[in-house]
Amino acid sequence: MFQFLVEKIWNSQRWSVLALGMTISRIDLNDSTSIPQFGLGVWQVPQDETERVVSEAFELGYRHVDTAQMYGNEAGVGAAIKSSGLARDEIYVTTKLNNNRHEKQIAKDSLRESLDKLGLDKVDLFLIHWPLPTQYDGDFVSTWQTLAELRDEGLTTSIGVSNFQPDHLDRIVAETGVVPAVNQIEAHPYFANDAARAATAKHGAKVEAWSPLGQGGGELSDPVVKEVARRVGKSEAQVLLRWAIDRGDIVFPKSTHKERLAANLDIFDFELTADDVSAIAALDKGEAGRQGPNPDTFDWIPD
């Protein structure tokens, strides 16, 4: 079923798919660390399903998990890590600061709470989830400085941001001198988000692409994507993930189904042509293609 170094193993009326001999490449970050380019996202995975999903991903060969305080499932990720039997340095864990926790002491306490839920002494990467420029008197710079302090205290190895626009990036770097390791932004064929990508690269940070498959199935049913998928003998989702990987993005698609988790990982045995890459890139609709909130105006703070 999955042909790239994958083996079905039957065990007590259940089967698992194990990726054998497959190495997921790592991306070097600007702080002398590196991150697996492919991982698992757990946005909208219910807390009571998270341990199972992450455990199944680990069985398949995933070693990078992206969670957030906002998702409410850090404890499930932690339970899966604890039961995995994997060494700590084999797993890369990201979590993100919730929108209601931007003040300095609250932010620091929140990371300690996250570490307790995850069962870890430190995370590999801690992000500001949203800049919230219309909240907190527009002061996301102090929040960024707090993350730098948490890194210096040893509670996270790397720090970064999520959903930061070019002017947000310019401001935090200019006012603190601290450059994010990554900027996690919405990026998919219908919304290339080129300005944020260029600003991220300008500062030497790497792009993490959330929603690389788009939302609502638009790109998955696009005739251009479907034709490429037909020609290479892969699914539309696999084509889109490969396209993002080839662009150098760090991706972490979500699924709660083991077969789809395996299929998402099965993207390293084929290549897209330059024409394929160009045709998919040409699907960009600019701002009209944005499917998530606009970071310049998004101001939601949970109770």
Side-chain angles (χ1 to χ4, degrees):
M1 182 166 57
F2 307 111
Q3 297 180 353
F4 89 109
L5 303 175
V6 169
E7 181 181 64
K8 277 188 179 181
I9 296 180
W10 180 264
N11 180 19
S12 299
Q13 296 184 339
R14 70 182 183 91
W15 65 272
S16 61
V17 181
L18 303 180
L20 303 178
M22 183 274 298
T23 300
I24 296 171
S25 64
R26 297 181 73 94
I27 297 289
D28 291 332
L29 302 179
N30 58 21
D31 59 1
S32 300
T33 67
S34 65
I35 183 172
Q37 189 177 10
F38 188 93
L40 171 70
V42 295
W43 176 60
Q44 292 186 327
V45 177
Q47 172 64 29
D48 60 0
E49 292 187 47
T50 302
E51 180 179 1
R52 172 189 62 81
V53 171
V54 177
S55 294
E56 290 175 350
F58 286 156
E59 291 175 17
L60 292 166
Y62 287 72
R63 293 296 183 267
H64 172 185
V65 182
D66 181 276
T67 185
Q69 295 171 354
M70 187 184 295
Y71 301 166
N73 55 20
E74 290 171 313
V77 173
I81 292 171
K82 182 177 181 179
S83 65
S84 70
L86 295 168
R88 174 64 184 93
D89 62 5
E90 292 184 58
I91 302 171
Y92 194 99
V93 181
T94 299
T95 195
K96 311 178 196 73
L97 182 70
N98 208 346
N99 290 353
N100 59 354
R101 298 174 177 178
H102 276 219
E103 292 95 341
K104 182 174 183 176
Q105 193 56 52
I106 294 173
K108 288 191 171 187
D109 291 343
S110 80
L111 179 53
R112 291 182 173 88
E113 292 169 9
S114 289
L115 293 174
D116 184 61
K117 292 174 182 177
L118 290 164
L120 301 176
D121 295 326
K122 66 162 61 175
V123 289
D124 298 283
L125 179 62
F126 190 43
L127 308 179
I128 299 177
H129 206 151
W130 290 90
L132 303 175
T134 64
Q135 297 284 358
Y136 301 104
D137 296 322
D139 183 17
F140 48 81
V141 176
S142 296
T143 307
W144 177 238
Q145 185 61 53
T146 298
L147 263 65
E149 293 175 11
L150 287 165
R151 180 192 59 189
D152 293 345
E153 292 170 18
L155 299 181
T156 180
T157 300
S158 299
I159 55 174
V161 294
S162 181
N163 302 298
F164 270 49
Q165 299 280 61
D167 59 318
H168 303 150
L169 291 169
D170 291 344
R171 183 178 167 196
I172 62 171
V173 174
E175 295 188 28
T176 69
V178 179
V179 180
V182 305
N183 186 17
Q184 186 177 122
I185 57 175
E186 179 182 353
H188 46 85
Y190 283 180
F191 183 56
N193 210 351
D194 284 335
R197 291 176 61 81
T200 301
K202 180 185 78 172
H203 289 293
K206 298 299 183 182
V207 170
E208 293 190 322
W210 62 259
S211 201
L213 305 180
Q215 298 177 15
E219 282 104 324
L220 294 173
S221 60
D222 190 284
V224 170
V225 177
K226 292 181 77 67
E227 173 55 26
V228 174
R230 183 201 62 78
R231 185 180 57 76
V232 299
K234 291 289 185 175
S235 72
E236 290 80 6
Q238 289 168 326
V239 166
L240 293 179
L241 291 172
R242 182 71 205 210
W243 181 76
I245 288 286
D246 287 350
R247 292 204 307 169
D249 291 351
I250 300 159
V251 296
F252 30 86
K254 179 210 80 174
S255 178
T256 58
H257 304 287
K258 191 167 188 178
E259 293 84 353
R260 193 168 298 164
L261 289 169
N264 286 345
L265 196 58
D266 184 16
I267 60 171
F268 299 101
D269 65 338
F270 74 101
E271 296 180 355
L272 299 176
T273 67
D275 287 345
D276 293 335
V277 172
S278 296
I280 295 172
L283 298 175
D284 181 32
K285 299 179 180 181
E287 190 62 30
R290 187 191 293 274
Q291 297 170 13
N294 188 316
D296 286 324
T297 56
F298 185 61
D299 63 355
W300 178 73
I301 295 182
D303 295 332

